[in-house]
């Protein structure tokens, strides 16, 4: 066993003792939060005040109890004596603030606090008042035992020393087993700029594989929740991922950063008015996701509004009848329609304006009328009947069912927008008896959400983080935009990884559909996850992808790439997996969806059990190429790349995704010529 230098050993022992102190303080904070709940129940206040106070105290106690175990700090800043505002001060940095007393200086400063920014941004060229930046090395998988503090490294910025040390490099390259980890200890300056962007700013991150774009989005969410807690508690923050497998993979990041209770969902879950029970051919789904459908739906909905053939409105009131002539009623309808309100709002505006005209007549005869008179007239049968005739109540399901089953209705709504083949693709081959028996597809739910948004605005969020945004259709983008009308967006994606038939080819169009045409597009091209050899192989595919994205670069000189040509793909795959199992870390076996069953059979015959992608933490995972996006494994075995590339219209993009899932090693097993 190698002995430590005495000075380093003394420093380590001092830091371990400090960590013990922090652990005791955190335990006291958790206990104190629980005590506050008990005390708060006896506070004399109104029932409403007591309820609000109790909710907040219980929430705080629950958050403290839910904190995952782990090291309490990862870095330290020692400021120079002449540093403005922090001269001579030292701060330990961690994932949450720890203090022995609310009025006392913190033992650990939250990584999101303003003073912590220097940890990520200071350099020898611009030390920002920092004399020494210290990073701590913890044993892999540490649950926060002080004995797990195994090393430390100092950068003396005040002396012009600045380098990425071994601890930082090891943390970035640490094996990926289980769910995604936070990167609070390893955030790079360009990532930190994005994380700390203002709440009002919408930003789009074009991130090459391994550049940490997903981590940036999650850390920005945590930063905004820390910086604007009241506003975002009121308006909400939503994380949107492409599927449940991906959301399961990232689920532990925000809790590790001290943020629990954040809604993490898929867009389909957010908009689902009905279960998905039907499927669409690709041609049909492509038309449904096309932005022209927004106008088709708008026409179909507003076609229900018409004052043609309407008669005079006569409302009985005792011995009198108050009247609105048909021409005046039609003028009210046209006036409201010209204002372009949501459909349901427009209906109520017509009702309100008709009642106003009736009230003016009645008050000229009887004087000021009470509110009860107004309520009675508003709900009178003649008024409601006329309103139903000129501006009927309609459900989105009724509008869409008529559109997809009646060729004449569709032809009127799509005139000049869709050609005959596109209209034919939209019509259901077997119309349901009613919308209640319809088998709704995922694309149908997007259309229903558009119609619902035309009827009334959905409740929005203060901020949305949208991952894998390059795969969203224009109609899906519109659904997101409706939920961000009064909020901001963090848009994450990589055009080179766009795999849906409607995937974006440039960000300007995608941001326009998201309602943020002016959002800055910030490229992240320097990777820390994928080794350079793997990145260089994947970059050879970029020329085939028809997207203008800069080639990625990796700072990882380690890593291995092995290309295995073979006449026996199943057997060579088994060999590659066995060799991978002799090394540390997770193993992901990725194959074209149609080949997964055969690969699983070959692995099982060799005695190798492979979990599915929904199982986190498995040693060997077999993943269909269609589900591997966003996931990462220490060792990836890519099976027959040509089959992946040929399996779908954007198969080359899918293959680019497959090749960039490896954190340390990539094996490419193939019998057919490689498509790059």
């Amino acid at each position: 066993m190698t002995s430590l230098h005495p000075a380093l050993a003394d420093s380590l022992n001092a830091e371990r003792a400090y960590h013990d102190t922090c652990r005791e303080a955190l335990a006291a904070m958790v206990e104190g939060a629980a005590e506050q709940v008990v005390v708060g129940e006896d506070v004399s206040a109104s029932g409403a005040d007591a309820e609000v106070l109790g909710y907040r105290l219980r929430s705080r106690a629950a958050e403290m109890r839910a904190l995952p175990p782990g090291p309490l700090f990862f870095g330290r800043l020692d400021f120079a004596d002449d540093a403005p505002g922090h001269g001579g001060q030292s701060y330990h940095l961690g994932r949450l603030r720890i203090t022995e007393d609310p009025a006392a200086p913190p033992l650990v400063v939250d990584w999101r606090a303003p003073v912590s920014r220097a940890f990520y941004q200071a350099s020898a060229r611009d030390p920002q008042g920092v004399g020494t930046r210290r990073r701590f090395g913890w044993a892999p998988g540490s649950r926060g035992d002080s004995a797990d503090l195994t090393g430390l490294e100092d950068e003396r910025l005040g002396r012009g020393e600045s380098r990425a040390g071994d601890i930082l490099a090891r943390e970035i390259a640490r094996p990926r087993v289980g769910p995604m980890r936070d990167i609070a200890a390893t955030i790079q300056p360009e990532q930190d700029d994005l994380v700390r962007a203002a709440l009002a700013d919408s930003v789009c991150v074009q991130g090459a594989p391994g550049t940490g774009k997903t981590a940036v989005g999650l850390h920005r969410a945590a930063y905004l929740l820390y910086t604007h807690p009241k506003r975002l508690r009121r308006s909400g923050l939503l994380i949107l991922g492409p599927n449940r497998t991906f959301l399961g993979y990232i689920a532990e990041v925000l809790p590790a950063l001290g943020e629990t209770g954040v809604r993490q969902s898929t867009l389909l879950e957010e908009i689902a008015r009905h279960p998905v029970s039907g499927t669409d051919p690709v041609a049909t789904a492509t038309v449904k996701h096309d932005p022209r459908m927004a106008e088709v739906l708008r026409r179909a909905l507003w076609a229900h509004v018409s004052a043609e053939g309407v008669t005079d409105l006569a409302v009985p009131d005792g011995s009198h009848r108050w009247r609105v002539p048909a021409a005046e009623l039609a003028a009210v309808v046209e006036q409201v329609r010209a204002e372009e309100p949501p459909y349901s709002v427009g209906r109520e505006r017509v009702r309100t304006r008709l009642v106003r005209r009736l009230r003016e007549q009645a008050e000229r005869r009887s004087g000021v009328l009470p509110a009860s008179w107004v309520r009675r007239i508003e709900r009178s049968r003649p008024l409601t009947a006329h309103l139903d005739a000129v501006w009927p109540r309609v459900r989105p399901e009724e509008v869409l069912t008529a559109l997809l089953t009646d060729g004449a209705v569709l032809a009127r709504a799509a005139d000049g927008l869709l050609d005959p083949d596109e209209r034919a693709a939209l019509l259901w081959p077997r119309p349901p008896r009613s919308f209640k028996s319809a088998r709704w597809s995922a694309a149908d739910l997007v259309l229903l959400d558009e119609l619902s948004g035309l009827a009334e605005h959905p409740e929005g969020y203060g901020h949305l983080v949208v991952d894998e945004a390059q795969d969203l259709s224009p109609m899906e983008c519109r659904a997101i935009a409706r939920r961000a009308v009064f909020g901001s967006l963090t848009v994450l994606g990589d055009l080179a990884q766009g795999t849906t038939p409607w995937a974006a080819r440039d960000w300007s169009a995608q941001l326009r559909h998201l309602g943020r045409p002016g959002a800055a597009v910030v490229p992240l091209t320097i990777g820390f996850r994928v080794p350079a050899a793997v990145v260089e192989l994947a970059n050879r595919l970029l020329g085939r992808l028809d997207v203008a994205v800069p080639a990625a670069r990796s700072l990882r000189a380690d890593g291995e790439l092995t290309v295995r040509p073979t006449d026996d793909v199943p057997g060579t795959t088994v060999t590659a997996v066995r060799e991978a199992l002799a090394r540390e870390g997770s193993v992901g076996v990725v194959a074209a969806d149609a080949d997964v069953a055969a690969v699983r059979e070959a692995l099982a015959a060799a005695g190798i059990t492979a979990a599915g992608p929904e199982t986190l933490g498995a040693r060997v995972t077999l993943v269909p190429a269609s589900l591997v996006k966003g996931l990462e494994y220490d060792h990836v075995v890519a099976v027959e790349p040509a089959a992946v590339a040929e399996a779908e219209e954007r198969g080359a993009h899918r293959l680019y995704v497959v090749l960039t899932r490896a954190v340390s090693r990539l094996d490419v097993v193939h019998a057919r010529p490689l498509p790059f």
Side-chain angles (χ1 to χ4, degrees), residues 369-637:
L369 295 167
S372 58
W373 183 93
V374 174
R375 289 194 295 270
R376 179 167 56 84
I377 296 299
E378 282 178 340
R379 303 304 166 191
S380 65
R381 288 185 178 180
L383 177 58
T384 300
H386 272 67
L387 192 58
D388 287 342
V390 300
W391 204 299
R393 294 182 184 274
V394 291
R395 298 183 59 174
E397 289 84 352
E398 294 170 334
V399 177
L400 187 58
T401 299
L403 193 71
L404 301 183
T405 58
D406 190 325
V409 171
L410 178 58
R412 286 193 297 270
D415 182 39
L417 294 171
L418 304 179
D419 63 36
D421 289 341
E422 290 171 322
R423 295 200 299 269
L426 284 177
L427 289 171
W428 280 335
R430 294 182 179 179
R433 293 181 179 178
S434 72
F435 71 83
K436 295 180 180 178
S437 61
R439 294 174 57 84
W440 302 107
S441 68
D444 290 333
L445 297 186
V446 177
L447 301 184
L448 288 174
D449 190 75
E450 179 76 22
L451 285 165
S452 180
L454 289 169
E456 53 190 351
H457 294 307
E459 187 174 342
Y461 291 88
H463 190 79
L464 291 87
V465 177
V466 185
D467 210 342
E468 301 296 349
Q470 77 283 343
D471 275 337
L472 295 169
S473 72
M475 295 300 287
E476 289 173 322
C477 287
R478 290 175 60 86
I480 293 170
R482 284 190 289 276
R483 288 157 175 80
V485 172
F486 302 109
S488 54
L489 296 173
T490 298
V491 180
L492 312 169
D494 179 9
L495 297 176
Q497 297 185 57
T499 53
T500 58
W502 41 79
R505 286 177 167 79
D506 69 81
W507 284 116
S508 60
Q510 200 76 336
L511 291 170
R512 186 172 65 254
H513 294 308
L514 285 165
R516 295 296 184 279
V521 179
V522 181
L524 291 179
T525 59
I526 300 177
F528 310 96
R529 173 176 61 81
V530 184
V534 176
V535 169
E536 289 167 6
L537 177 70
N539 281 344
R540 290 162 59 182
L541 265 175
L542 283 179
R544 294 186 54 186
L545 303 187
D546 189 30
V547 289
V549 298
R553 292 193 301 119
S554 175
L555 298 182
R556 297 270 306 280
D558 60 340
E560 300 173 17
L561 169 65
T562 305
V563 179
R564 299 176 183 254
T566 180
D567 293 328
D568 178 13
V569 169
T572 305
T573 299
V574 168
T575 299
V577 172
R578 280 179 171 158
E579 292 180 6
L581 287 171
R583 314 279 286 273
E584 183 182 13
S586 57
V587 182
V589 184
V590 188
D593 291 33
D595 296 339
V596 167
V599 173
R600 185 181 300 281
E601 184 179 340
L603 292 174
I608 300 172
T609 300
E614 70 284 348
T615 303
L616 300 178
R619 188 70 202 284
V620 180
T621 305
L622 177 58
V623 191
S626 64
L627 294 180
V628 78
K629 187 175 294 183
L631 306 180
E632 55 186 36
Y633 302 93
D634 290 289
H635 192 127
V636 169
V637 179

Side-chain angles (χ1 to χ4, degrees), residues 79-390:
F79 283 90
D81 291 338
D82 58 352
H86 303 286
Q89 297 295 313
S90 293
Y91 303 100
H92 284 74
L93 274 61
R95 290 165 178 81
L96 75 159
R97 184 179 190 270
I98 300 175
T99 181
E100 293 175 303
D101 184 272
L107 296 172
V108 177
V109 175
D110 194 296
W111 66 276
R112 297 166 286 187
V115 69
S116 302
R117 186 164 198 184
F119 184 80
Y120 304 108
Q121 295 284 350
S123 64
R125 183 174 299 176
D126 179 20
Q128 302 185 15
V130 177
T132 302
R133 172 168 53 205
R134 172 170 289 182
R135 299 183 189 272
F136 297 102
W138 293 86
S142 171
R143 297 178 62 83
D145 190 306
S146 298
D148 292 339
L149 178 56
T150 58
L152 55 85
E153 289 177 345
D154 288 340
E155 296 174 76
R156 305 191 185 280
L157 304 182
R159 300 181 185 177
E161 300 175 9
S162 181
R163 61 182 181 84
D166 293 339
I167 286 178
L168 178 60
R170 284 199 303 270
E171 176 63 22
I172 290 175
R174 187 149 54 95
R176 263 61 172 177
V177 178
M180 182 180 182
R181 305 188 306 266
D182 70 84
I183 60 165
T186 62
I187 293 172
Q188 300 302 295
E190 63 275 16
Q191 295 173 324
D192 186 63
D193 289 336
L194 292 165
V195 166
R196 296 176 192 263
L199 174 58
D201 294 343
S202 290
V203 296
C204 174
V205 181
Q206 161 56 45
T211 55
K213 57 183 176 294
T214 297
V216 164
L218 293 172
H219 285 68
R220 187 183 184 204
Y223 172 78
L224 292 176
L225 288 164
Y226 172 88
T227 310
H228 307 279
K230 292 183 179 178
R231 181 172 174 181
L232 288 178
R233 189 182 298 120
R234 182 173 61 251
S235 60
L237 188 148
L238 174 66
I239 309 292
L240 281 179
N243 52 58
R244 269 289 143 195
T245 300
F246 177 84
L247 291 173
Y249 178 62
I250 68 171
E252 294 187 14
V253 174
L254 285 174
L257 297 171
E259 299 297 343
T260 58
V262 177
R263 183 167 177 78
Q264 301 188 33
S265 183
T266 67
L267 178 60
L268 194 58
E269 290 169 344
E270 287 296 299
I271 68 174
R273 298 168 61 95
H274 304 278
V276 174
S277 55
T279 57
D280 288 317
V282 172
T284 300
T286 300
V287 178
K288 289 180 178 179
H289 282 287
D290 191 283
R292 293 172 294 168
M293 285 301 299
E295 176 60 17
V296 172
L297 294 171
R298 191 193 69 81
R299 291 180 184 178
L301 176 62
W302 286 91
H304 291 79
V305 175
S306 174
E308 185 177 349
V310 70
T311 59
D312 292 353
L313 169 62
V315 180
D317 181 21
S319 61
H320 298 280
R321 285 181 179 270
W322 310 116
R323 296 181 181 277
V324 177
E328 188 175 344
L329 193 158
V332 169
V333 171
E334 291 307 314
Q335 181 187 50
V336 171
R337 181 168 182 170
E339 294 167 3
E340 298 184 353
Y343 186 91
S344 298
V345 173
R347 174 183 164 91
E348 294 311 308
R349 283 186 189 175
V350 172
R351 184 196 300 274
T352 299
R353 293 179 191 184
L354 292 178
V355 170
R356 183 190 307 155
R357 282 159 172 74
L358 296 170
R359 182 176 184 175
E360 288 169 353
Q361 295 176 38
E363 288 186 340
R364 282 197 296 269
R365 178 182 178 89
S366 307
V368 177
L369 295 167
S372 58
W373 183 93
V374 174
R375 289 194 295 270
R376 179 167 56 84
I377 296 299
E378 282 178 340
R379 303 304 166 191
S380 65
R381 288 185 178 180
L383 177 58
T384 300
H386 272 67
L387 192 58
D388 287 342
V390 300

Side-chain angles (χ1 to χ4, degrees), residues 633-666:
Y633 302 93
D634 290 289
H635 192 127
V636 169
V637 179
V639 182
E640 199 63 272
V644 175
E646 294 172 1
E648 55 189 306
E649 179 183 348
R650 295 174 69 91
H653 293 257
R654 184 79 68 187
L655 179 58
Y656 181 82
V657 174
V658 170
L659 296 177
T660 54
R661 300 303 94 198
V663 174
S664 298
R665 298 174 296 280
L666 171 65

